[in-house]
Amino acid sequence: MSKMWLSWPYRTRTVRVEDDDPLLNQNSSYHLYVDKPDDIKPKKTERFLQWAGDRWLFEGMASIISTASLAGIIITLALHADRPLPRWPFSITINALISTLATISRSALLVSVTAALGQRTWARLNKGQHPLSDLETYDGASRGPWGSIILLWSTRASDLASLGAVVIILSLAMDPFIQQITSFEPAPLLMEYSNVSARIIFETGVNQIGMVSPKAFSQAPATFTSLVTQGLYFDGNLSDPFSRNALQLRPTSSGGNVSFEMAETLAVCSECANLTSYLPPPEHQVATQNAANSWRWTLPNDVTTHWTVFGDRSTLVIATNTSFNPIVLNNHGRLVILNLTAIVPGWTIDNTRDPPVGTGHPGAAQECSLYWCVNKYDSSMSGGVLTETLISSFSSGNAEPGVPFFSLKPPGSKASFYKQDGQLYGNYSTGWINGTFLINTVTHQLIQKYLSGLLTGMATSLNYYEQGAAIASNDVPLRFYSMASWDGASPTPKFDMQGIFDAIAQGMTTVVRKADSTANSTAVDAIVRIPGPETAMVVLVRVRWVWIILPVVLQVAAMVFVCTTVASSKRQGLPDWKSSSLATLFFGMRLSSHVQHEGVEKWSDMVTLAKNYWPEVKVKQNSAKQAT
């Protein structure tokens, strides 16, 4: 058997082409044998890589990593769907995590697919039924989308490799599709349940049988007086929820939005009426040798300023009184806490005379009442600010026989309260106090006494007389006097205390609805809690699962393609060369002596020649055994 030897520099190895090999003929491929000394063997690393490559270990791990990353995306989205944005260490966002997992999944998927597509090259050339040019077509497909498109066009999608090419092409859309899965939108989220309090029975400073307790207050408690004073000097706008919040309850809240159930509660209401038209011109007492000029303003219900002398720091500018019945206000059936009447005299001054001389003119007058009532509120809270809209108010009641309580029974009231000793509050032997609100009359009298002493008084002018400037031993009349104004055309002022009394009523209502820790147990027990779910506007993660279909389909298709390729290669006994450049080089060395390549330099000439040569891949059995 003759042999042809080719000089090939490869570590003293000799490359031998056997030209008398019986397999060499016009229709068969050429075989390359490498003789190597027996003392040169693959290193452990090379043997391990060969072992792992034959078993597709790395490609299998890549498939597992790709599948696990995609599963991680799905699990992450499932755990956070319709939930607030998670807060993770180092300010990692859910988008960053999903994008990272998507990149890992796509990269690992391409590792296994490109390896399987490279292996399909040798399966294509295995039986000598396809031209050598397919080597470049398949190799290009394993390198990227453009090569995959060429493969699909060349094979008309008739080969299994087309599935791998499609996976590579569509993998370009994998990241954008995964990014489309998530969206973020603000939405209300239930955080917890809050509540607002309402009072059914009000008694503080008295014991359970309604009498002043030795340990109880002989006047209204400090929590009551503080909010009354705060209401008296409230300078905000009660129609503004934020401003009004200074006088309202402060339900426990996380700062979210709460819609409470309808609340019925004991409250304090206010009402004012203008009496200026009922105030006649002042009486005048002419100065005598023993008395100066005096003036007096008197209402039909006998509320009067008494005789007041115009003089330095003695000119009366306001007088308030709580001892008389109202003229206009109808308090029939009400348990009235306070009736207050205020008179603001009208004055002119003649500064041309020394000392100046004042003349009394018709003044302004107003009466205001504070009384117990039952209010029904539509309550809500946003940003920690309570907003309560008054739905209805009821104030007509009766004294409970035999007990020191006054009852208010609004029609259709759904209020319900159980007290084991209910008979102490009236005819409630079963303990159930339904649709009824009770005020302890002893407590009521304590409050009356406190308010009467606080709000009654008078104020005089600085110097002889200056509109709006006044002094008083009691600051409260000065506060009322601050509500007077003049238009310059008339000495009669405009005067309105309604805003002050509304604020006082609001402050007192807040005290009534709050638990008083210094009172007896009934005062605490008689508070009911009106619940409401608290929600907050948060950014929620929305998941559009339809966009996950493509990544999942690609994952399944890649696994089918790789598994089918491995099974086919094992069945045909093909070497696991995959996309190895060395495998391509050594395969070309087998063919170099049998392909007329002289003068072939251009790529187009190479393609033409390759299309007319149909090689076949074969493995020499003894060489394969030696390699293992």
Side-chain angles (χ1 to χ4, degrees), residues 530-579:
I530 310 300
E534 181 172 1
T535 60
M537 292 301 293
V538 297
V539 177
L540 298 184
V541 179
R542 299 299 191 190
V543 180
R544 296 171 289 188
W545 291 107
V546 66
W547 292 97
I548 200 69
I549 294 176
L550 176 65
V552 171
V553 169
L554 289 180
Q555 197 67 237
V556 173
M559 295 179 66
V560 170
F561 175 62
V562 172
C563 292
T564 305
T565 299
V566 173
S568 175
S569 296
K570 298 299 182 184
R571 187 172 60 251
Q572 297 178 48
L574 291 173
D576 297 306
W577 290 343
K578 304 167 191 173
S579 299

Side-chain angles (χ1 to χ4, degrees), residues 199 202 224 266-268 372 507-514 527:
R199 173 74 70 173
F202 182 69
F224 200 97
L266 269 178
V268 175
W372 294 101
M508 293 176 68
T509 298
T510 299
V511 175
V512 168
R513 296 172 66 179
K514 291 172 64 176
I527 290 179

Side-chain angles (χ1 to χ4, degrees), residues 449-507:
K449 179 181 178 181
Y450 161 70
L451 289 177
S452 179
L454 176 68
L455 304 182
T456 301
M458 57 176 288
T460 58
S461 176
L462 288 170
N463 298 322
Y464 279 93
Y465 179 68
E466 181 180 352
Q467 292 178 352
I471 58 174
S473 58
N474 183 351
D475 289 339
V476 175
L478 294 181
R479 172 58 177 159
F480 289 139
Y481 185 60
S482 68
M483 297 293 101
S485 62
W486 291 262
D487 57 14
S490 170
T492 301
K494 293 180 173 59
F495 183 60
D496 188 4
M497 301 183 294
Q498 182 71 66
I500 293 178
F501 272 79
D502 287 345
I504 293 174
Q506 179 62 61

Side-chain angles (χ1 to χ4, degrees), residues 122 576-590:
W122 311 115
D576 297 306
W577 290 343
K578 304 167 191 173
S579 299
S580 171
S581 299
L582 283 176
T584 304
L585 175 63
F586 274 73
F587 184 68
M589 290 166 58
R590 293 184 181 184

Side-chain angles (χ1 to χ4, degrees), residues 227-248:
L227 273 171
V228 168
T229 304
Q230 189 173 348
L232 179 64
Y233 291 98
F234 178 74
D235 210 17
N237 182 4
L238 286 176
S239 61
D240 177 19
F242 185 80
S243 179
R244 185 187 182 98
N245 195 58
L247 299 172
Q248 287 187 314

